[in-house]
Amino acid sequence: MNENPLHYQTIGELSRQIHSGELSPVRLTEHLLDRIEALNGGLNAFCLVMRERALAEAKAAEMAIDAGSSLGPLHGIPYALKDLCDVKGYATKAGSPLMVDNIAAEDATIVRRLARAGMILLGKTNLVQFAYGGVGINHHDGTPRNPWNGETHCVPGGSSSGSGVSVAAGMAPMAIGTDTGGSVRIPAALNGTVGLKTTVGRVSTAGVFPLSFSLDSIGPLTRSVQDAAWTYHAMHGPDPRDALTAQAARHDPMPALHAGVRGLRLAFAETVFFDGVDEEVAAAVRACGRIFEEQGARVLSIPFAEAEEAQALNPRGLVIAAEAYAFHQERMERDFDRIDPIVAHRMKAGASVTAGEYIRLIRSWEGLRGRMLESLRDVDALLVPVTMIPAAPLDEIDRSIESYSEHNLKYLRNTAIGNILNLCGLSLPCGFTAKGMPIGLMIYGKPWQEDVVLRVGQAYEQATDWHKRHPELTWAGDPE
């Protein structure tokens, strides 16, 4: 008998009960919808709840499973969707009041694929406006509240802020996020969940509101590594609607998931990643090395010059700024004062990027990625902190644009390096600060090696119990 309440159980635990007949998908969906209704006023994770649609999908799943037509482990499992992804007939607002009339004509590929796996869409989650920021602040729709601090409104991380909060608070067992500079991994780290950043081109972004054509990726936030692996397996693969996925041959991460780390070469990347990192964060991440060594991995410390080069070749985030400005130019010129200032002023920098600067940066990234593969020839995965600091109080960060910029860098620095290098990465809980805020370990893998980072993450998770902790939410209206 599982002692955890339904809302804190993993997809694996819920799926076993659903497929054995112990748990009805309708009952599970109703439970989560009621929980969202009770908690969302205090946490602000969801911007849209699709109660009628979710219950209809749950009833259909229940009938199919009862008839012996199961679609697999995700069948009958509810999830939440970042409001950057199209759902036919609903507005994709991208965190902005300017987009209320942006009604989707069809589902995003990610929505189609999860529906094909039998998943149930609960609703859409809040985010940083236009997905442009690592702190999680949205001045128009409100900033979701990190569930781990009942006394102070601490930031949730961004830009997939509501997705991170929804999973951590037991409102959904899985939520979809996007990651351009860290927007899956930062909310995962700050909220104490698992978050998978996929290689660009691995998961289709068709029907997903863009931030940066060069860097956008999609990944799940979950309560366990196995849950992330199952979701990833359902999501990835070639899609004719997205040319970048042409080389993304499907593969199954599950056979190697439980293979352990014996014989693998794992390395702390010392260049840049640990510089200026909060002492509690650094200590928790360093302690992971001993856990891996006890399981038979060879744990090294290596210089990683490409991290420093990646920083140098991303001056002021100009590639993202240029691509974002190109997409939003008309909106920026017409409605600049109606865009969240922490987004508008960063995006405006893209207007001054010349074609020559942009092309030189993109070409430089290509060469850097090649050198990076050579440097990591004898390494299976890197171990680094996700963020430089844990979740901080909202008021402390949002007091000035200078304070916001400083904190945004501290959340984005380590993750953005991976985006520039096109690494895949997994964030998972590896400890808590003295104040009770989660700390995230980031496992970086080479491009297209999501199976490796999931395998390493699974080994760590099985040897620890950080992922089993849950926030106390009576202050937010938790009925249980």
Side-chain angles (χ1 to χ4, degrees):
M1 183 69 179
N2 196 314
E3 296 181 359
N4 271 334
L6 283 178
H7 47 269
Y8 282 136
Q9 292 183 29
T10 65
I11 289 175
E13 292 166 336
L14 295 170
S15 182
R16 282 191 290 274
Q17 294 172 75
I18 287 172
H19 286 82
S20 69
E22 298 172 57
L23 176 63
S24 154
V26 173
R27 179 191 161 208
L28 173 60
T29 302
E30 288 176 336
H31 177 82
L32 292 175
L33 288 167
D34 290 346
R35 186 167 177 82
I36 292 167
E37 184 176 356
L39 295 180
N40 202 51
L43 297 176
N44 194 31
F46 283 82
C47 60
L48 174 67
V49 180
M50 302 174 175
R51 176 176 283 271
E52 292 185 6
R53 175 190 171 120
L55 289 173
E57 290 181 351
K59 289 173 184 174
E62 186 171 310
M63 291 176 62
I65 293 169
D66 288 348
S69 300
S70 172
L71 298 173
L74 300 180
H75 201 175
I77 301 294
Y79 79 101
L81 183 71
K82 185 177 183 177
D83 191 19
L84 214 61
C85 306
D86 285 349
V87 178
K88 184 178 180 179
Y90 293 87
T92 301
K93 295 187 298 179
S96 171
L98 299 174
M99 307 299 294
V100 293
D101 295 324
N102 183 36
I103 308 299
E106 57 184 340
D107 289 340
T109 296
I110 180 71
V111 174
R112 294 181 183 180
R113 288 184 172 174
L114 294 179
R116 196 181 306 153
M119 297 200 80
I120 298 161
L121 179 58
L122 294 169
K124 287 189 162 191
T125 56
N126 279 312
L127 65 148
V128 176
Q129 197 169 103
F130 301 136
Y132 200 11
V135 178
I137 294 174
N138 187 316
H139 290 115
H140 290 103
D141 295 338
T143 300
R145 182 165 177 165
N146 192 305
W148 288 94
N149 192 323
E151 296 180 0
T152 304
H153 188 158
C154 290
V155 296
S159 64
S160 308
S161 49
S163 291
V165 171
S166 70
V167 175
M171 301 161 107
M174 185 278 283
I176 292 298
T178 61
D179 195 311
T180 306
S183 294
V184 164
R185 293 159 291 159
I186 298 168
L190 269 54
N191 290 285
T193 76
V194 172
L196 176 65
K197 183 264 177 201
T198 56
T199 308
V200 172
R202 179 65 93 176
V203 178
S204 173
T205 59
V208 178
F209 196 90
L211 172 60
S212 166
F213 308 105
S214 299
L215 297 174
D216 288 346
S217 65
I218 301 176
L221 293 94
T222 61
R223 263 193 280 286
S224 77
V225 175
Q226 179 172 265
D227 291 356
W230 269 329
T231 308
Y232 163 72
H233 188 41
M235 291 164 49
H236 82 282
D239 175 21
R241 298 171 68 197
D242 181 354
L244 287 177
T245 64
Q247 59 180 318
R250 283 193 54 77
H251 70 124
D252 187 351
M254 304 311 295
L257 187 65
H258 300 280
V261 293
R262 183 168 300 279
L264 294 187
R265 298 152 300 179
L266 311 179
F268 291 113
E270 301 295 345
T271 308
V272 177
F273 287 111
F274 286 89
D275 295 349
V277 171
D278 174 89
E279 290 184 3
E280 288 184 290
V281 172
V285 172
R286 296 278 189 195
C288 299
R290 177 177 52 81
I291 302 295
F292 287 121
E293 286 179 331
E294 290 172 352
Q295 298 181 75
R298 183 184 176 195
V299 179
L300 315 166
S301 289
I302 63 168
F304 189 51
E306 287 75 17
E308 199 164 44
E309 289 186 62
Q311 279 193 307
L313 293 176
N314 186 35
R316 305 186 309 285
L318 288 184
V319 168
I320 294 180
E323 293 184 346
Y325 185 83
F327 181 78
H328 290 279
Q329 182 173 355
E330 182 179 344
R331 193 172 294 116
M332 287 281 285
E333 293 172 351
R334 184 186 64 234
D335 296 310
F336 184 83
D337 291 338
R338 297 177 63 196
I339 298 172
D340 197 328
I342 61 175
V343 171
H345 289 283
R346 291 182 69 210
M347 196 179 291
K348 188 178 180 181
S352 63
V353 179
T354 68
E357 286 178 305
Y358 175 80
I359 292 169
R360 282 192 294 273
L361 284 172
I362 292 292
R363 293 299 300 273
S364 296
W365 287 5
E366 294 173 1
L368 175 61
R369 290 170 178 178
R371 295 193 297 278
M372 175 268 298
L373 290 175
E374 180 62 25
S375 293
L376 297 183
R377 182 178 51 186
D378 297 322
V379 174
D380 294 299
L382 299 175
L383 309 174
V384 300
V386 180
T387 61
M388 296 173 66
I389 57 173
L394 174 61
D395 289 346
E396 177 184 310
I397 296 173
D398 206 23
R399 62 191 177 197
S400 68
I401 192 65
E402 291 78 17
S403 178
Y404 173 81
S405 298
E406 176 187 348
H407 284 84
N408 196 47
L409 173 63
K410 289 180 178 179
Y411 290 128
L412 282 167
R413 185 194 68 183
N414 285 2
T415 54
I417 290 170
N419 294 86
I420 293 166
L421 296 174
N422 200 25
L423 299 171
C424 58
L426 185 74
S427 170
L428 68 165
C430 70
F432 288 81
T433 68
K435 293 182 178 180
M437 303 309 289
I439 298 171
L441 163 69
M442 183 153 54
I443 302 167
Y444 266 138
K446 300 165 194 174
W448 312 107
Q449 293 192 2
E450 285 83 359
D451 55 332
V452 174
V453 299
L454 289 164
R455 172 185 171 185
V456 175
Q458 175 72 7
Y460 179 81
E461 186 178 89
Q462 291 300 298
T464 60
D465 63 359
W466 303 116
H467 64 290
K468 296 178 181 179
R469 301 192 184 188
H470 313 300
E472 190 284 312
L473 288 169
T474 53
W475 58 268
D478 191 342
E480 300 186 27

